[in-house]
Amino acid sequence: MASPPKLAGFSLDEPKASILNGHIYDSVEGFYEKYFPDLSSSLVANRREEAEEIIYSNDLIFSHSGIRTFFQAKANYVLSPTNGRSWISNPNITLDEIFLSSSSPPSSSSSSIAVVPASYADVDVLGVIYNVDRPGLYSNGLERLIELAQEVFAAQPTRLFLHAFYISWGCCMEPWVFDRGGMYCGEAFHVGYNMEKFLHIVGVYSRLEGTQLGRLHYPTIIDSAKNYIGLDVDTPGSKGISHESPNQDAIQQDGKDNYELSSFDLESPPLSAPSSLLDDRPLCYRATNMSMPGSKFVIKLKWRHENSHDEETLIKLANDRNVWGIVQIVAHGTVTTLHDLRRGMEFGDPQVLRSGHSSPFESATTDSPELGVSGGNQTLSWVVLRPVGKPLVDYQDDTELLYAFRDGIKAHKSLYQQGRILHRDISLGNILITEPEKDGDPRGILIDLDVAIDLDKGPGLAGDIVGTKLFMGIGNMMGGIHRYRHDLEGFFYVFLRMVICGRLEGLPPTSKLQDWKTGTWRELGEKKTRDMEAGNFKAILEEFQPEFNDLKSLAEELRLALFPVVDGELWTGTDTTAEGVESLYGDIIGAFDRAIAAEREKCTGK
């Protein structure tokens, strides 16, 4: 894990808080009662006096120097953090980063070391002290705090919440909490005039452990050799996560097989993880059942908004309808909710952080959808799935990749025709490569039915735009109802992304596909339409990685199947007749079959 970045890499002109705008709450009622209920300091008198002497030194009650010196020189002696942790100070010219961490401990009990923690995975609490001379600069330090919090959640993706603090203009302190719904704080107070309160808060921070820090009820699953998750699936009303030692109780599960499902070993790194604090993509791990050596499963944890539908219900429905080529549910449950985590507090209007203003916050309203205002509840759920696959970018050779695409499309066809379910989010991460256990098993599967719909309950609505922007179908982006052919377009766009990037993490900066990321929905649809024209598509073919040059003919065949020229114009519509559906699936699957045969012939020389 990389060390936290130094201030040199942080531009004060670059906004860091925009991702949380509309999810920021200040002066939350009940904050101190929930997290710091007893404001009498737990520090012994002589140590409290030493702390006050340092902070008040040279009459610097209105400056930050004494507070900075306290964290750099005396915090560990005065506060005595539990569990071998230390307060670590990373000082810069105007901004100090403060961490309570189990890594990089001090060399003695009486001082701190001006270093950064070895890993964000070891950070329990963080803070920023920003020495500024006017309130208009307040937002700069808070943006840095947000940036650091994002790093902690990235290194600890199972973290439920994170305590943090910010000391800025006028020596005012704000204790903050970050969670998957945003960030919120108690009312600010002046450190110099409220020394007892300040020392109590940082003293409480020093003694928080386990769930008090927002950690799940099992060992941190990053960089841990003894990592496991306990799933309490046989207890009615269970919250799902157990912190007890692994046990081997056999329990009855959904489906045709029985598994002993109380404990699993988790493999790091995860298959997928949220990319930011508010990212709702799932956290997925490969896992081995601890009572069944060699067994393979996927553990998926996801924060679900209260208005989202239940993915588990759709997967079970597809399993009951014998859909081929999708994951199967073994067990599922819930852990907690955002409302439970925030219980006992009252939140006002969500805020937007403004840079360079004497009043740094302004209210966000639901009239500004770009702010992503979200006051609804979220539930952290878990599900155990099988079979286990690997991401497309981990392909061994061209043939394995082609099989994964072909069988992923066959799975989509089965899901649509047999399951009467439309996936609606074909993307790079939702097609996995699998190794068949027997003849007839898929070599590629579809996952993630979070935005799928049961067609027996009706089609989606016109203008209901869902999915991953880069891989969305043209007609859907232009405001039409999401149809099966838009998912088939998605497979084509994922294929283009793979043959352009190969195993690279992202698109080249000069790729034409970069243009598919920016603009209004209609503008994006128009861009894709132009790029699918024969002349313009040649430029995309030229971007293929050398190893995929032989697949240019396949790409052209797929383009013609999806975008035939009708009456002199590129056709992007949908034929919903039974014959039309069979024809389009058949053309695309047949194209992949021919490409696979060609690759196999090339490899065998036959």
Side-chain angles (χ1 to χ4, degrees):
M1 181 67 61
S3 295
K6 299 289 195 292
L7 186 61
F10 169 54
S11 169
L12 295 181
D13 295 324
E14 181 183 356
K16 304 293 181 185
S18 60
I19 193 171
L20 293 184
N21 275 342
H23 302 266
I24 302 173
Y25 301 85
D26 67 333
S27 301
V28 170
E29 292 186 22
F31 183 94
Y32 289 104
E33 290 81 0
K34 181 178 181 67
Y35 295 115
F36 312 101
D38 181 5
L39 287 180
S40 61
S41 176
S42 58
L43 302 178
V44 296
N46 66 316
R47 292 191 179 182
R48 182 172 67 249
E49 292 171 359
E50 287 188 43
E52 293 178 358
E53 181 180 353
I54 294 170
I55 296 174
Y56 286 142
S57 64
N58 301 318
D59 296 323
L60 294 176
I61 190 171
F62 294 107
S63 81
H64 298 73
S65 299
I67 302 173
R68 297 174 74 183
T69 301
F70 169 75
F71 278 105
Q72 292 173 23
K74 286 291 184 179
N76 290 311
Y77 170 67
V78 172
L79 301 174
S80 301
T82 57
N83 291 335
R85 297 173 298 177
S86 306
W87 285 102
I88 300 170
S89 175
N90 178 29
N92 289 276
I93 297 174
T94 59
L95 186 148
D96 286 15
E97 299 164 1
I98 310 297
F99 306 91
L100 177 63
S101 172
S102 59
S103 62
S104 301
S107 57
S108 70
S109 61
S110 62
S111 65
S112 299
I113 296 179
V115 294
V116 294
S119 169
Y120 283 113
D122 299 322
V123 172
D124 283 347
V125 180
L126 62 85
V128 163
I129 303 173
Y130 189 35
N131 187 12
V132 294
D133 57 4
R134 61 183 187 275
L137 296 177
Y138 165 93
S139 62
N140 294 336
L142 190 62
E143 287 169 353
R144 181 55 176 163
L145 186 72
I146 292 170
E147 186 180 53
L148 292 172
Q150 298 267 43
E151 295 286 359
V152 173
F153 275 93
Q156 303 178 38
T158 60
R159 191 81 178 251
L160 298 178
F161 60 86
L162 170 70
H163 281 286
F165 64 88
Y166 181 41
I167 300 175
S168 181
W169 181 77
C171 274
C172 285
M173 178 177 184
E174 296 168 343
W176 287 89
V177 170
F178 292 84
D179 62 23
R180 293 296 181 178
M183 59 187 291
Y184 55 94
C185 71
E187 186 175 1
F189 65 91
H190 191 286
V191 173
Y193 292 136
N194 297 273
M195 182 61 61
E196 187 80 7
K197 187 173 184 178
F198 165 74
L199 291 176
H200 174 70
I201 288 172
V202 293
V204 169
Y205 285 153
S206 301
R207 288 162 175 76
L208 294 177
E209 298 179 4
T211 57
Q212 298 172 319
L213 290 164
R215 296 187 183 277
L216 277 180
H217 298 214
Y218 59 91
T220 303
I221 58 179
I222 303 295
D223 301 329
S224 173
K226 297 181 179 179
N227 204 12
Y228 76 93
I229 180 171
L231 302 178
D232 187 12
V233 297
D234 56 342
T235 303
S238 166
K239 287 297 182 182
I241 301 295
S242 169
H243 70 281
E244 303 297 332
S245 300
N247 61 71
Q248 312 301 330
D249 296 336
I251 56 178
Q252 182 74 31
Q253 295 302 322
D254 297 327
K256 301 176 181 178
D257 300 315
N258 297 331
Y259 299 95
E260 295 176 356
L261 283 173
S262 52
S263 300
F264 293 82
D265 282 318
L266 303 179
E267 299 179 14
S268 292
L271 293 169
S272 67
S275 62
S276 64
L277 190 59
L278 300 182
D279 185 4
D280 61 0
R281 77 184 63 185
L283 173 65
C284 298
Y285 286 92
R286 291 188 182 94
T288 302
N289 190 294
M290 297 182 71
S291 62
M292 301 171 59
S295 61
K296 295 293 183 181
F297 301 88
V298 171
I299 306 293
K300 175 179 177 180
L301 297 102
K302 181 177 174 65
W303 284 97
R304 301 189 187 281
H305 293 277
E306 59 183 349
N307 294 326
S308 64
H309 67 258
D310 185 357
E311 179 197 26
E312 288 78 23
T313 298
L314 283 179
I315 295 178
K316 291 175 68 175
L317 180 63
N319 294 162
D320 291 343
R321 294 175 178 175
N322 295 316
V323 171
W324 182 90
I326 69 164
V327 292
Q328 296 179 340
I329 285 186
V330 178
H332 62 93
T334 61
V335 181
T336 189
T337 69
L338 202 59
H339 280 180
D340 283 343
L341 294 177
R342 294 180 171 187
R343 191 178 302 279
M345 296 179 288
E346 292 186 18
F347 290 73
D349 293 333
Q351 303 292 305
V352 175
L353 182 63
R354 303 187 299 173
S355 299
H357 291 262
S358 57
S359 298
F361 294 114
E362 66 177 359
S363 293
T365 68
T366 54
D367 294 331
S368 302
E370 69 276 9
L371 298 178
V373 176
S374 175
N377 193 21
Q378 297 181 52
T379 299
L380 178 58
S381 64
W382 59 264
V383 60
V384 182
L385 302 166
R386 61 187 300 267
V388 176
K390 65 181 180 180
L392 291 178
V393 293
D394 291 341
Y395 65 94
Q396 290 185 345
D397 52 40
D398 297 6
T399 304
E400 183 178 64
L401 187 63
L402 291 172
Y403 271 123
F405 273 104
R406 186 203 65 180
D407 286 358
I409 295 167
K410 290 173 69 175
H412 187 277
K413 182 175 186 286
S414 179
L415 183 68
Y416 179 63
Q417 293 183 319
Q418 292 175 252
R420 297 288 300 152
I421 294 170
L422 186 60
H423 190 283
R424 301 203 306 170
D425 189 17
I426 302 303
S427 64
L428 184 67
N430 288 343
I431 310 167
L432 296 183
I433 299 170
T434 54
E435 186 172 341
E437 297 179 0
K438 62 182 183 299
D439 290 343
D441 284 353
R443 296 172 181 261
I445 59 171
L446 280 182
I447 63 171
D448 196 351
L449 301 188
D450 283 322
V451 297
I453 56 174
D454 181 357
L455 294 173
D456 284 345
K457 296 182 179 179
L461 301 175
D464 184 13
I465 300 176
V466 297
T468 305
K469 184 180 293 185
L470 185 65
F471 310 118
M472 285 183 183
I474 292 171
N476 187 218
M477 289 192 293
M478 301 292 275
I481 296 175
H482 197 121
R483 304 290 190 184
Y484 76 95
R485 73 146 287 137
H486 301 135
D487 281 1
L488 292 178
E489 279 185 54
F491 280 104
F492 180 46
Y493 301 141
V494 174
F495 171 75
L496 292 179
R497 192 270 182 203
M498 283 301 305
V499 294
I500 289 172
C501 300
R503 295 181 178 85
L504 300 177
E505 290 188 2
L507 286 168
T510 57
S511 173
K512 287 182 70 67
L513 272 61
Q514 292 284 7
D515 292 337
W516 298 359
K517 296 180 178 180
T518 57
T520 66
W521 292 118
R522 178 162 290 276
E523 288 170 346
L524 291 173
E526 291 171 350
K527 288 177 184 179
K528 281 188 176 179
T529 301
R530 287 193 297 270
D531 286 339
M532 291 303 106
E533 294 174 355
N536 295 329
F537 191 68
K538 291 179 181 178
I540 293 179
L541 294 177
E542 294 304 313
E543 296 184 27
F544 281 30
Q545 293 285 319
E547 67 173 302
F548 295 123
N549 279 336
D550 290 344
L551 299 183
K552 289 182 178 180
S553 59
L554 170 61
E556 185 62 39
E557 193 173 353
L558 295 173
R559 184 189 72 84
L560 290 173
L562 287 163
F563 304 105
V565 175
V566 178
D567 296 330
E569 293 187 2
L570 201 73
W571 193 70
T572 60
T574 303
D575 186 346
T576 58
T577 66
E579 296 79 7
V581 173
E582 283 293 336
S583 176
L584 187 55
Y585 275 113
D587 289 346
I588 293 175
I589 293 171
F592 275 102
D593 277 334
R594 289 185 288 276
I596 291 169
E599 286 295 317
R600 290 172 60 88
E601 182 177 357
K602 184 173 63 176
C603 293
T604 60
K606 296 181 181 179

